[in-house]
Amino acid sequence: MARRTQKVTVEGHRLTLSNLDKVLYPETRTTKAAILDYCARIAPHLIRHARNRIATRKRWVDGVGTPDDPGEVFFEKNLPESAPSWIRSRAIRHSTGTKRYPLVDDLATLTYLTQMAALEIHVPQWTVRPGAKDPGTIDSESRYPDRMVFDLDPGSGRGLADCIEVAQLVRELLEGMDLKAYPVTSGSTGVHVYAALDGSANSQNISDVAHELARSLETDHKDLIVSSMKKSLRENKVFIDWSQNAAAKTTVAPYSLRGRFTPTVAVPRSWDELDDPSAVEQMRFEDVLDRIDDVGDLLEPLAEAVGGTASAPADDGSNEDRDPGKPVRDRLEVYRSKRDPKHTSEPVPAGQGTSGDEPTFVIQEHHARSLHWDFRLEHDGVLVSWALPKGPPTKPEKNHLAVQTEDHPLEYGSFEGTIPKGEYGAGDVEIWDSGTCDIEKWDEGEEVIAVLHGREDGGLGGVRRFALFNTGGHGPNKDPEKNWMIHLMEDEPKKQSAAADRSSKKGTPAGRPSSKRASKKEALPTDLSPMLASIGDIDSVRREAGDWAFEMKWDGIRALARVRADDGDESGSVTLTSRNGKDMTHTYPELRELVDCVDVDCVLDGEIIALGQGSRPDFGRLQRRMGLTREHDIERERERTPVFLMLFDVLHADGTSLLRTPYTERRDRLFDLVIESDHIQVPDAFEGSVDAAFDSSRKLRLEGVMAKRADSIYRPGKRTRTWVKLKHSSTRDVIIVGWRTGEGERSDSFASLLVAAHDDDGLHYLGRVGTGFDEEALRSLRSGLDRRSRKTPALTVPAAESRDAHWVRPDLVGEVRFSGLTEAGRLRHPVWRGLRSDIDAEDVRA
């Protein structure tokens, strides 16, 4: 047998993994490498239920063997002296002496135990005090369970289906006591049923209650249930093991492997699944990984509900080393010293807050002297903060610098706004993402590990696990305490099935379909919307650190293209949607040729344009095509005014989301993906400085430049400062609220349009637009305005401009070019550019 050895770094700790080819489960040929991979991928869920609980291990050093030749098992409690010093542990006082147990609180510890062939992890129903480094030995009187468990084990003549029947009876009994019950198929022969407790009673009390409940069930169901510990009484019955609630007893941890002859796992189930007991089987580890992707951790509500600790009263360890005679340190003293509430809208509370049951986090995009992201985690009543010059890392392979700054108040978690010039941190602050977090590790000044539950539309794109670690003197700051790095932890690497493994050996990348037909099995997302850019200026781009890329700004309408590739058996398709989600496919039939330009299913981002004089984008010409619905009109205008799709981004390709992939890598993927055609183009990004890009755009008589940070991720539907529009002249969207009567040649149309935009108080009047209309625009606009007629204005308009006005329903959006704003907030020299059917009126802001 080959001896594979590999040195790895797990959460900053170096480990040597040996004998990776060793077969631990001979019947299925499952190797140690496969078991290590399972543990790495299931770790967030297993640790959730094992955290702060001492771990007893069952080890099969030479594998579990076969029914004819079972492997030798070692039951291990004490942590060996050879174990790494960084493993958290607790000393427990037994009648036979004191033993030191590991705490499976992190992936590194779980990896070490798995390397030692500890296939089963068993934990008690009580926890030790979180946050304390070493509170000394713990005796049985100081253990307060935060959950109750019943282990249902079938005697000879009974099976799993019978255990499920008893589990339903246990559930009924617990719920009659207002305790929610959670079932787990044990991975062995039976079922575990858990319920959350408040941690106010000790182990002996809970064990007594469990024993009494088991006896009452036995009394009511004598032919099915036995609660006595005598094995001779268990034949043809289901044994309710209530004793695992005792202080000294343990239960196999949810998601732990079992030392059976096949690699089964203790798996949380739903009660709906157990409605048909005959259809339920114990699950193997491969199926558990697929299941987690589909349904998540069904036992997570139990972990959220439990509230007990190893000792009463509960203590989070944050005050462990404090001298009760000394005042508590004011963690916001530095924060307050840098801010004057008279000059900034930032929150400046008198005292620090109190952390709740669910700690929060916020990441704020901060446009100060240089762009950076403020990364803040709730801890000890404040938001502990780091500044990230390059933002949170998007790949585990690349760590980013994190400079620790002063603690911020909890109220800062909802702060957005502008810090005035001259004040500390002057600039714009926007919330990039926020939510709750699970603090897995907090070594003050050394290391922090946290799982962040971000918004689906936030910058993180969902749940991410980060580690922050102090680098001491290795960093840009003279104060070594401020030098940190942040690392994105890869909790669940992409799965490779056996088929994918075989495919990779034949030359096909693992995890990627080997044919076009295979790629079409992946569902394309349908709920994406375009990422939006902020209006900026060259100076702001020059000031902000980091690499920028520049694209020419195309004067058209935004479109997302969902492409189903032609696979030979089924013709491909293209769906075009506008910024506000309207289907535009029928309006621009020539763009269906996009299906011939790609060979995988994908979602692309681009701009639909029409060309005018000098082959330059002409928004006025594009107006002829916008909004057409009748086939005859579309075909007539298609001949007169063809359109083109300028592609500049890819959001999803070949079954993989690229939203969190940096901009430069998405652009490379786009060029590899798309072959240009008559109406489909992929323009190059401009290479050079922002000044050169802007000058080039002016010479080409284009609208301006799009500046995009090279490391920016794609945030659907969000307007962000990592994408900035630099225009040669100002344009903006407006809402038509009325029109004034025309005279002479315009007596049949209108003299001018009255326009507005939304602000916090409702509609805000922006003035009149009377130029920029051709005859066709005047005629079609008047027809649309007449259909929207209303008797009263939707807002207040100065009397001088409303004396001969006709009011309309404020749902029609247009675009104007203007030279600036007056002191009253009116548009200066506005010129009409056209209607914007791709933008909803409620999205037009002043």
Side-chain angles (χ1 to χ4, degrees):
M1 182 181 68
R3 291 177 60 87
R4 291 174 55 201
T5 298
Q6 183 177 348
K7 291 187 180 296
V8 297
T9 299
V10 182
E11 299 177 338
H13 301 298
R14 293 288 288 171
L15 291 167
T16 299
L17 306 182
S18 61
N19 297 325
L20 296 177
D21 288 334
K22 176 182 282 187
V23 175
L24 297 181
Y25 293 87
E27 286 203 355
T28 57
R29 305 298 301 168
T30 304
T31 64
K32 182 191 280 190
I35 296 305
L36 282 163
D37 178 66
Y38 167 77
C39 289
R41 291 158 65 178
I42 206 66
H45 310 292
L46 191 156
I47 292 170
R48 178 180 295 124
H49 304 292
R51 182 181 293 121
N52 293 322
R53 301 178 195 272
I54 62 168
T56 298
R57 293 85 63 210
K58 291 178 73 174
R59 297 174 58 204
W60 282 263
V61 178
D62 295 317
V64 299
T66 64
D68 295 331
D69 185 19
E72 186 176 4
V73 59
F74 299 90
F75 207 90
E76 191 170 60
K77 296 183 177 182
N78 235 351
L79 188 65
E81 292 184 3
S82 60
S85 60
W86 45 259
I87 292 180
R88 293 183 65 218
S89 61
R90 288 293 185 276
I92 307 296
R93 185 183 298 115
H94 298 280
S95 58
T96 56
T98 298
K99 293 181 174 61
R100 181 164 289 277
Y101 294 76
L103 304 178
V104 188
D105 287 0
D106 51 61
L107 175 58
T109 299
L110 180 60
T111 303
Y112 166 77
L113 296 178
T114 307
Q115 158 60 26
M116 302 299 289
L119 299 179
E120 292 191 8
I121 306 293
H122 292 247
V123 294
Q125 314 319 317
W126 48 271
T127 63
V128 301
R129 186 174 62 183
K133 293 180 180 178
D134 188 351
T137 56
I138 301 174
D139 55 32
S140 59
E141 285 72 30
S142 61
R143 304 173 198 178
Y144 287 73
D146 58 5
R147 64 193 189 193
M148 178 186 289
V149 67
F150 292 91
D151 181 4
L152 313 179
D153 191 29
S156 60
R158 294 289 182 175
L160 179 59
D162 300 298
C163 293
I164 292 173
E165 182 181 346
V166 175
Q168 299 283 9
L169 296 173
V170 173
R171 176 194 185 188
E172 184 178 336
L173 194 64
L174 290 174
E175 292 186 349
M177 301 167 61
D178 291 328
L179 294 174
K180 185 175 176 61
Y182 300 88
V184 173
T185 48
S186 69
S188 181
T189 58
V191 176
H192 299 158
V193 180
Y194 286 93
L197 303 175
D198 63 8
S200 61
N202 64 28
S203 294
Q204 185 61 55
N205 297 145
I206 299 303
S207 183
D208 290 345
V209 171
H211 192 183
E212 188 59 39
L213 293 177
R215 273 200 295 242
S216 68
L217 284 171
E218 179 183 18
T219 301
D220 293 339
H221 305 276
K222 291 183 179 295
D223 294 335
L224 177 63
I225 297 172
V226 61
S227 65
S228 172
M229 303 300 289
K230 293 182 180 179
K231 292 186 178 180
S232 60
L233 301 178
R234 298 180 191 176
E235 185 177 357
N236 205 35
K237 292 186 180 180
V238 173
F239 170 51
I240 297 185
D241 187 354
W242 48 268
S243 70
Q244 294 185 27
N245 297 284
K249 292 296 187 74
T250 60
T251 307
V252 69
Y255 298 107
S256 170
L257 282 152
R258 302 306 303 266
R260 311 288 291 177
F261 295 122
T262 57
T264 52
V265 174
V267 187
R269 311 300 280 259
S270 70
W271 288 111
D272 289 342
E273 287 181 273
L274 305 188
D275 280 345
D276 183 5
S278 62
V280 180
E281 296 179 346
Q282 303 290 351
M283 295 183 69
R284 286 176 41 163
F285 75 96
E286 306 97 321
D287 300 323
V288 174
L289 291 173
D290 290 335
R291 175 185 175 85
I292 280 289
D293 287 343
D294 293 337
V295 303
D297 178 10
L298 297 180
L299 202 59
E300 186 171 5
L302 174 70
E304 294 175 349
V306 295
T309 59
S311 58
D315 184 353
D316 67 1
S318 59
N319 297 322
E320 179 187 7
D321 298 321
R322 288 179 183 163
D323 182 341
K326 294 181 179 180
V328 176
R329 175 169 67 96
D330 181 2
R331 299 190 63 153
L332 297 179
E333 181 180 1
V334 176
Y335 174 88
R336 291 193 200 91
S337 69
K338 295 181 176 183
R339 290 162 180 84
D340 184 346
K342 296 178 181 177
H343 299 135
T344 179
S345 58
E346 298 167 277
V348 187
Q352 65 190 60
T354 301
S355 292
D357 294 333
E358 286 193 300
T360 61
F361 83 92
V362 66
I363 303 174
Q364 287 153 320
E365 192 175 307
H366 192 171
H367 294 262
R369 285 181 298 176
S370 61
L371 173 64
H372 64 276
W373 283 258
D374 294 315
F375 187 95
R376 312 190 195 280
L377 301 177
E378 180 178 336
H379 178 68
D380 198 18
V382 296
L383 291 174
V384 182
S385 302
W386 292 264
L388 313 182
K390 292 189 176 182
T394 57
K395 291 187 175 181
E397 297 82 16
K398 190 172 183 180
N399 297 336
H400 284 183
L401 174 67
V403 179
Q404 187 162 17
T405 61
E406 73 276 11
D407 295 334
H408 281 52
L410 296 181
E411 293 86 345
Y412 215 95
S414 59
F415 175 70
E416 285 188 299
T418 299
I419 302 173
K421 188 177 294 186
E423 295 301 306
Y424 177 75
D428 295 332
V429 177
E430 303 168 6
I431 292 179
W432 191 76
D433 208 339
S434 63
T436 61
C437 62
D438 301 321
I439 304 299
E440 295 186 355
K441 184 176 185 179
W442 196 288
D443 284 351
E444 194 72 36
E446 297 292 335
E447 184 181 12
V448 174
I449 298 176
V451 178
L452 275 54
H453 299 265
R455 304 187 304 255
E456 289 186 7
D457 61 348
L460 294 177
V463 181
R464 296 289 181 271
R465 187 167 180 243
F466 290 99
L468 295 111
F469 52 95
N470 184 267
T471 60
H474 302 285
N477 205 290
K478 293 181 181 180
D479 184 351
E481 293 183 358
K482 294 184 177 181
N483 292 322
W484 292 65
M485 298 293 285
I486 182 169
H487 168 70
L488 174 64
M489 303 177 75
E490 190 171 13
D491 285 335
E492 298 182 3
K494 291 182 180 178
K495 299 191 290 284
Q496 287 189 353
S497 64
D501 288 338
R502 291 193 296 271
S503 172
S504 65
K505 293 175 184 177
K506 295 177 182 178
T508 303
R512 181 169 179 171
S514 59
S515 67
K516 296 178 189 175
R517 187 176 183 86
S519 72
K520 292 179 73 65
K521 295 178 182 178
E522 298 287 343
L524 279 175
T526 59
D527 57 350
L528 297 174
S529 55
M531 178 172 168
L532 306 176
S534 299
I535 296 175
D537 55 70
I538 291 181
D539 287 338
S540 65
V541 174
R542 288 196 197 106
R543 285 194 305 268
E544 291 182 351
D547 295 329
W548 290 83
F550 306 101
E551 301 169 359
M552 297 298 107
K553 188 176 187 315
W554 305 105
D555 195 6
I557 59 172
R558 195 75 172 276
L560 286 187
R562 293 179 68 250
V563 188
R564 286 289 189 186
D566 186 339
D567 67 354
D569 296 329
E570 181 181 347
S571 59
S573 64
V574 174
T575 303
L576 299 170
T577 54
S578 65
R579 201 175 101 182
N580 58 352
K582 293 181 180 178
D583 193 325
M584 305 184 292
T585 313
H586 183 70
T587 306
Y588 307 107
E590 61 266 59
L591 299 184
R592 292 173 188 161
E593 70 185 45
L594 177 58
V595 77
D596 298 319
C597 300
V598 297
D599 62 0
V600 297
D601 297 351
C602 54
V603 180
L604 308 174
D605 191 357
E607 192 92 354
I608 297 174
I609 66 169
L611 299 179
Q613 189 176 9
S615 296
R616 287 186 292 274
D618 186 332
F619 190 79
R621 285 180 62 82
L622 184 62
Q623 287 279 303
R624 300 175 183 176
R625 295 290 302 273
M626 292 172 63
L628 297 180
T629 56
R630 293 188 296 184
E631 288 286 347
H632 175 74
D633 294 338
I634 291 171
E635 286 303 316
R636 183 191 71 244
E637 285 301 328
R638 176 180 177 181
E639 293 296 322
R640 293 173 50 191
T641 313
V643 298
F644 304 84
L645 179 59
M646 314 299 281
L647 294 169
F648 50 76
D649 218 325
V650 53
L651 286 64
H652 196 278
D654 207 8
T656 301
S657 171
L658 301 176
L659 297 180
R660 289 188 49 76
T661 302
Y663 165 84
T664 50
E665 295 181 31
R666 296 199 310 274
R667 287 286 293 184
D668 290 342
R669 184 76 175 98
L670 181 67
F671 277 104
D672 291 338
L673 193 67
V674 180
I675 300 173
E676 293 184 331
S677 65
D678 290 343
H679 295 273
I680 308 298
Q681 301 291 316
V682 184
D684 287 317
F686 185 88
E687 295 184 2
S689 67
V690 61
D691 298 276
F694 205 63
D695 287 342
S696 179
S697 173
R698 183 183 288 108
K699 289 175 184 176
L700 293 171
R701 299 178 64 185
L702 297 176
E703 188 183 14
V705 168
M706 292 293 300
K708 299 181 179 180
R709 282 184 62 98
D711 58 356
S712 61
I713 61 173
Y714 196 102
R715 300 180 63 195
K718 293 296 183 181
R719 189 177 300 280
T720 171
R721 294 286 292 274
T722 57
W723 285 14
V724 180
K725 287 186 286 190
L726 308 176
K727 293 187 175 184
H728 298 297
S729 60
S730 298
T731 63
R732 67 152 298 137
D733 302 320
V734 294
I735 304 168
I736 303 173
V737 295
W739 55 277
R740 296 187 64 181
T741 305
E743 298 176 358
E745 293 181 353
R746 291 199 178 183
S747 59
D748 293 333
S749 54
F750 53 84
S752 61
L753 300 177
L754 308 181
V755 297
H758 289 287
D759 63 14
D760 293 340
D761 297 321
L763 283 169
H764 172 74
Y765 183 62
L766 294 176
R768 294 176 295 162
V769 185
T771 60
F773 306 98
D774 58 22
E775 290 297 321
E776 184 174 349
L778 288 166
R779 184 171 57 255
S780 63
L781 268 171
R782 174 59 189 272
S783 175
L785 295 172
D786 286 344
R787 292 195 299 271
R788 289 172 168 78
S789 178
R790 57 180 285 169
K791 293 183 179 180
T792 58
L795 75 172
T796 301
V797 177
E801 298 186 26
S802 63
R803 66 181 189 280
D804 61 347
H806 302 263
W807 307 111
V808 298
R809 191 170 67 246
D811 61 357
L812 203 58
V813 177
E815 182 174 292
V816 298
R817 184 172 66 249
F818 64 105
S819 60
L821 294 173
T822 68
E823 290 184 3
R826 308 285 190 265
L827 299 172
R828 194 185 301 276
H829 311 306
V831 177
W832 183 255
R833 300 193 72 238
L835 287 173
R836 298 301 304 252
S837 60
D838 59 322
I839 298 174
D840 294 325
E842 56 263 33
D843 294 330
V844 178
R845 305 288 298 178

